[in-house]
Amino acid sequence: FSRRWRGGPLLVLFAMAMFVRLGIWQLDRLDQRRAQNDQLRAVLESPPLNLAEPLPEAVDALENRMATVTGQYDFAEERILLLQSWQGQPGVALVTPLLIEGMAAQSGGETAVLVHRGWVPQAEYEAGQLDSYQTETGVVQVDGYLALSRPGRGDSPEVAPQEIYRIDLEAMEAALPYELLPVILMESPTEEFELEPPLHAAREVDLSE
Protein backbone atom coordinates (compact mmCIF):
# COMPACT_ATOMS: atom_id res chain seq x y z
CA PHE A 1 0.00 0.00 0.00
CA SER A 2 1.11 3.52 -0.56
CA ARG A 3 1.60 5.72 2.44
CA ARG A 4 -1.60 7.50 1.49
CA TRP A 5 -3.74 4.35 1.98
CA ARG A 6 -1.73 2.62 4.75
CA GLY A 7 -3.78 4.09 7.61
CA GLY A 8 -7.06 2.51 6.51
CA PRO A 9 -5.92 -1.16 6.68
CA LEU A 10 -4.13 -0.52 9.99
CA LEU A 11 -7.31 0.94 11.44
CA VAL A 12 -9.29 -2.11 10.21
CA LEU A 13 -6.76 -4.51 11.76
CA PHE A 14 -6.90 -2.64 15.05
CA ALA A 15 -10.71 -2.78 15.05
CA MET A 16 -10.63 -6.51 14.27
CA ALA A 17 -8.28 -7.13 17.20
CA MET A 18 -10.57 -5.15 19.50
CA PHE A 19 -13.64 -7.12 18.39
CA VAL A 20 -11.82 -10.43 18.94
CA ARG A 21 -10.84 -9.33 22.45
CA LEU A 22 -14.42 -8.28 23.20
CA GLY A 23 -15.64 -11.67 21.98
CA ILE A 24 -13.22 -13.46 24.31
CA TRP A 25 -14.42 -11.23 27.19
CA GLN A 26 -18.03 -12.15 26.44
CA LEU A 27 -17.16 -15.86 26.48
CA ASP A 28 -15.41 -15.39 29.83
CA ARG A 29 -18.51 -13.65 31.16
CA LEU A 30 -20.64 -16.55 29.90
CA ASP A 31 -18.45 -19.05 31.75
CA GLN A 32 -18.76 -16.99 34.93
CA ARG A 33 -22.54 -16.79 34.57
CA ARG A 34 -22.82 -20.54 34.01
CA ALA A 35 -20.72 -21.18 37.11
CA GLN A 36 -22.97 -18.87 39.13
CA ASN A 37 -26.05 -20.63 37.76
CA ASP A 38 -24.62 -24.01 38.78
CA GLN A 39 -24.13 -22.70 42.33
CA LEU A 40 -27.66 -21.28 42.36
CA ARG A 41 -29.14 -24.58 41.14
CA ALA A 42 -27.34 -26.36 43.96
CA VAL A 43 -28.91 -23.92 46.43
CA LEU A 44 -32.38 -24.34 44.93
CA GLU A 45 -32.12 -28.14 45.05
CA SER A 46 -30.86 -28.24 48.65
CA PRO A 47 -33.24 -29.26 51.43
CA PRO A 48 -34.54 -26.49 53.71
CA LEU A 49 -32.21 -25.38 56.48
CA ASN A 50 -33.29 -25.65 60.08
CA LEU A 51 -32.23 -22.29 61.51
CA ALA A 52 -32.09 -23.76 65.01
CA GLU A 53 -28.96 -25.61 63.88
CA PRO A 54 -25.55 -24.01 63.21
CA LEU A 55 -25.35 -22.30 59.83
CA PRO A 56 -22.68 -23.23 57.28
CA GLU A 57 -19.63 -20.98 57.39
CA ALA A 58 -20.19 -19.64 53.85
CA VAL A 59 -23.19 -17.47 54.71
CA ASP A 60 -23.03 -15.64 51.35
CA ALA A 61 -23.86 -18.92 49.62
CA LEU A 62 -27.15 -19.24 51.52
CA GLU A 63 -29.07 -16.57 49.61
CA ASN A 64 -32.33 -18.00 48.19
CA ARG A 65 -31.94 -21.21 50.24
CA MET A 66 -35.21 -22.43 51.70
CA ALA A 67 -35.30 -22.50 55.49
CA THR A 68 -37.60 -23.17 58.41
CA VAL A 69 -37.56 -22.04 62.01
CA THR A 70 -39.67 -22.38 65.15
CA GLY A 71 -39.84 -19.70 67.79
CA GLN A 72 -41.72 -16.75 69.20
CA TYR A 73 -42.02 -13.26 67.69
CA ASP A 74 -40.76 -10.28 69.66
CA PHE A 75 -43.29 -7.71 68.45
CA ALA A 76 -41.91 -5.09 70.82
CA GLU A 77 -38.80 -4.92 68.60
CA GLU A 78 -40.63 -4.99 65.27
CA ARG A 79 -39.32 -2.66 62.56
CA ILE A 80 -41.23 -0.97 59.76
CA LEU A 81 -39.42 -1.12 56.42
CA LEU A 82 -40.50 2.04 54.60
CA LEU A 83 -41.00 2.80 50.90
CA GLN A 84 -42.11 -0.68 49.85
CA SER A 85 -44.40 -1.11 46.85
CA TRP A 86 -46.65 -3.97 45.78
CA GLN A 87 -47.89 -3.97 42.19
CA GLY A 88 -47.48 -0.20 42.09
CA GLN A 89 -49.18 0.46 45.43
CA PRO A 90 -47.24 2.20 48.24
CA GLY A 91 -46.79 0.46 51.53
CA VAL A 92 -44.41 -0.83 54.18
CA ALA A 93 -43.03 -4.21 55.17
CA LEU A 94 -43.07 -5.79 58.62
CA VAL A 95 -39.67 -6.99 59.87
CA THR A 96 -39.85 -8.82 63.18
CA PRO A 97 -37.26 -10.70 65.27
CA LEU A 98 -38.22 -14.29 66.00
CA LEU A 99 -36.60 -15.78 69.10
CA ILE A 100 -35.49 -19.23 68.01
CA GLU A 101 -36.77 -22.06 70.17
CA GLY A 102 -34.06 -24.21 71.71
CA MET A 103 -31.14 -22.13 70.44
CA ALA A 104 -28.89 -20.21 72.81
CA ALA A 105 -26.39 -17.58 71.70
CA GLN A 106 -22.66 -17.99 72.24
CA SER A 107 -22.94 -15.45 75.04
CA GLY A 108 -25.48 -17.66 76.78
CA GLY A 109 -28.44 -15.44 75.90
CA GLU A 110 -31.10 -15.82 73.24
CA THR A 111 -30.70 -15.90 69.47
CA ALA A 112 -33.20 -14.52 66.96
CA VAL A 113 -33.63 -14.32 63.22
CA LEU A 114 -35.17 -11.35 61.47
CA VAL A 115 -38.33 -12.37 59.61
CA HIS A 116 -39.66 -10.31 56.72
CA ARG A 117 -43.36 -10.89 57.42
CA GLY A 118 -44.74 -9.24 54.30
CA TRP A 119 -46.19 -6.06 52.83
CA VAL A 120 -49.09 -3.97 54.10
CA PRO A 121 -50.68 -0.85 52.51
CA GLN A 122 -49.36 2.59 53.36
CA ALA A 123 -52.84 3.70 54.44
CA GLU A 124 -52.94 1.12 57.23
CA TYR A 125 -49.51 2.15 58.43
CA GLU A 126 -50.46 5.84 58.52
CA ALA A 127 -53.70 5.00 60.33
CA GLY A 128 -51.78 3.12 63.03
CA GLN A 129 -53.45 -0.20 62.27
CA LEU A 130 -50.35 -2.42 62.21
CA ASP A 131 -51.15 -3.93 65.62
CA SER A 132 -53.77 -6.05 63.89
CA TYR A 133 -50.92 -8.00 62.26
CA GLN A 134 -49.39 -9.02 65.58
CA THR A 135 -51.68 -11.94 66.25
CA GLU A 136 -49.13 -14.75 65.97
CA THR A 137 -48.39 -15.06 69.65
CA GLY A 138 -46.79 -18.09 71.23
CA VAL A 139 -44.55 -20.54 69.40
CA VAL A 140 -44.95 -20.53 65.62
CA GLN A 141 -43.23 -22.16 62.66
CA VAL A 142 -42.11 -19.92 59.81
CA ASP A 143 -41.05 -21.18 56.39
CA GLY A 144 -39.37 -19.09 53.76
CA TYR A 145 -36.17 -18.36 51.88
CA LEU A 146 -33.02 -16.61 53.00
CA ALA A 147 -31.80 -13.16 52.03
CA LEU A 148 -28.68 -11.23 52.98
CA SER A 149 -28.31 -7.96 54.85
CA ARG A 150 -27.95 -4.59 53.13
CA PRO A 151 -25.55 -2.54 55.26
CA GLY A 152 -26.41 1.11 55.57
CA ARG A 153 -24.24 4.17 55.17
CA GLY A 154 -23.82 5.25 58.74
CA ASP A 155 -27.55 5.22 59.54
CA SER A 156 -28.11 5.39 63.28
CA PRO A 157 -30.81 3.01 64.61
CA GLU A 158 -31.56 5.53 67.39
CA VAL A 159 -32.85 8.17 64.96
CA ALA A 160 -36.12 6.35 64.32
CA PRO A 161 -35.98 2.99 66.13
CA GLN A 162 -39.15 1.56 64.61
CA GLU A 163 -38.66 2.83 61.04
CA ILE A 164 -35.89 1.75 58.66
CA TYR A 165 -35.11 2.20 55.00
CA ARG A 166 -33.04 -0.97 54.64
CA ILE A 167 -32.39 -4.09 56.68
CA ASP A 168 -28.94 -3.68 58.20
CA LEU A 169 -28.41 -6.67 60.49
CA GLU A 170 -25.31 -5.29 62.14
CA ALA A 171 -27.00 -2.01 63.05
CA MET A 172 -30.15 -3.75 64.25
CA GLU A 173 -28.28 -6.28 66.38
CA ALA A 174 -26.55 -3.39 68.16
CA ALA A 175 -29.98 -2.09 69.18
CA LEU A 176 -31.42 -5.45 70.29
CA PRO A 177 -30.94 -7.33 73.57
CA TYR A 178 -30.01 -10.60 71.82
CA GLU A 179 -27.93 -11.93 68.95
CA LEU A 180 -29.20 -12.12 65.38
CA LEU A 181 -28.45 -14.73 62.76
CA PRO A 182 -26.51 -13.23 59.79
CA VAL A 183 -29.41 -13.90 57.41
CA ILE A 184 -32.96 -12.65 56.89
CA LEU A 185 -35.85 -15.08 56.56
CA MET A 186 -38.29 -13.95 53.86
CA GLU A 187 -41.58 -15.58 54.79
CA SER A 188 -43.06 -17.51 51.87
CA PRO A 189 -46.65 -17.01 50.72
CA THR A 190 -49.06 -19.00 52.86
CA GLU A 191 -51.37 -19.56 49.89
CA GLU A 192 -50.95 -19.67 46.12
CA PHE A 193 -52.98 -16.47 45.76
CA GLU A 194 -52.95 -14.19 48.80
CA LEU A 195 -55.81 -11.72 49.05
CA GLU A 196 -55.23 -10.13 52.44
CA PRO A 197 -52.11 -8.45 53.84
CA PRO A 198 -49.47 -9.04 54.84
CA LEU A 199 -48.62 -10.13 51.31
CA HIS A 200 -45.52 -12.24 50.70
CA ALA A 201 -43.32 -12.22 47.62
CA ALA A 202 -42.47 -15.67 46.27
CA ARG A 203 -38.83 -16.52 45.66
CA GLU A 204 -37.66 -15.39 42.23
CA VAL A 205 -34.40 -16.47 40.64
CA ASP A 206 -32.77 -15.78 37.27
CA LEU A 207 -31.01 -18.74 35.65
CA SER A 208 -30.67 -17.19 32.21
CA GLU A 209 -27.30 -16.93 30.53
Side-chain angles (χ1 to χ4, degrees):
F1 296 98
S2 67
R3 291 183 178 179
R4 179 181 178 184
W5 301 104
R6 191 174 299 170
L10 290 177
L11 182 61
V12 171
L13 291 174
F14 176 77
M16 291 173 61
M18 288 295 296
F19 286 134
V20 169
R21 182 65 190 91
L22 288 173
I24 294 173
W25 175 74
Q26 288 283 6
L27 292 175
D28 289 340
R29 292 274 295 173
L30 177 61
D31 289 339
Q32 294 172 10
R33 180 64 186 222
R34 286 175 173 172
Q36 293 172 356
N37 285 348
D38 289 341
Q39 295 176 357
L40 181 55
R41 288 190 185 93
V43 169
L44 299 180
E45 295 170 0
S46 299
L49 280 176
N50 183 352
L51 296 184
E53 299 175 357
L55 295 177
E57 294 183 3
V59 175
D60 291 347
L62 297 179
E63 189 167 20
N64 289 310
R65 178 83 178 263
M66 299 301 295
T68 185
V69 66
T70 301
Q72 187 168 353
Y73 282 118
D74 183 5
F75 290 115
E77 297 292 349
E78 184 168 80
R79 300 297 190 267
I80 309 303
L81 186 59
L82 304 175
L83 304 180
Q84 304 299 300
S85 64
W86 184 276
Q87 298 180 353
Q89 300 181 46
V92 299
L94 308 177
V95 181
T96 314
L98 182 115
L99 297 169
I100 301 175
E101 187 178 41
M103 183 177 183
Q106 295 180 356
S107 61
E110 294 180 296
T111 298
V113 60
L114 278 186
V115 179
H116 186 295
R117 297 200 298 121
W119 176 92
V120 298
Q122 184 74 19
E124 296 191 24
Y125 167 61
E126 294 177 353
Q129 298 176 350
L130 298 186
D131 290 348
S132 61
Y133 299 109
Q134 297 181 355
T135 58
E136 295 179 279
T137 58
V139 177
V140 297
Q141 178 178 323
V142 183
D143 301 312
Y145 57 95
L146 299 179
L148 302 180
S149 175
R150 295 182 179 179
R153 295 167 292 184
D155 303 41
S156 173
E158 289 79 17
V159 174
Q162 302 302 322
E163 299 176 348
I164 57 176
Y165 289 98
R166 64 184 63 83
I167 302 177
D168 185 338
L169 286 174
E170 184 176 349
M172 289 192 63
E173 185 175 43
L176 294 174
Y178 36 75
E179 292 185 10
L180 288 177
L181 293 185
V183 290
I184 303 159
L185 182 61
M186 309 290 292
E187 188 174 9
S188 294
T190 55
E191 300 176 1
E192 184 176 358
F193 298 103
E194 294 183 323
L195 301 177
E196 299 293 334
L199 303 177
H200 306 87
R203 179 178 62 172
E204 294 183 1
V205 295
D206 180 12
L207 291 172
S208 67
E209 296 183 352

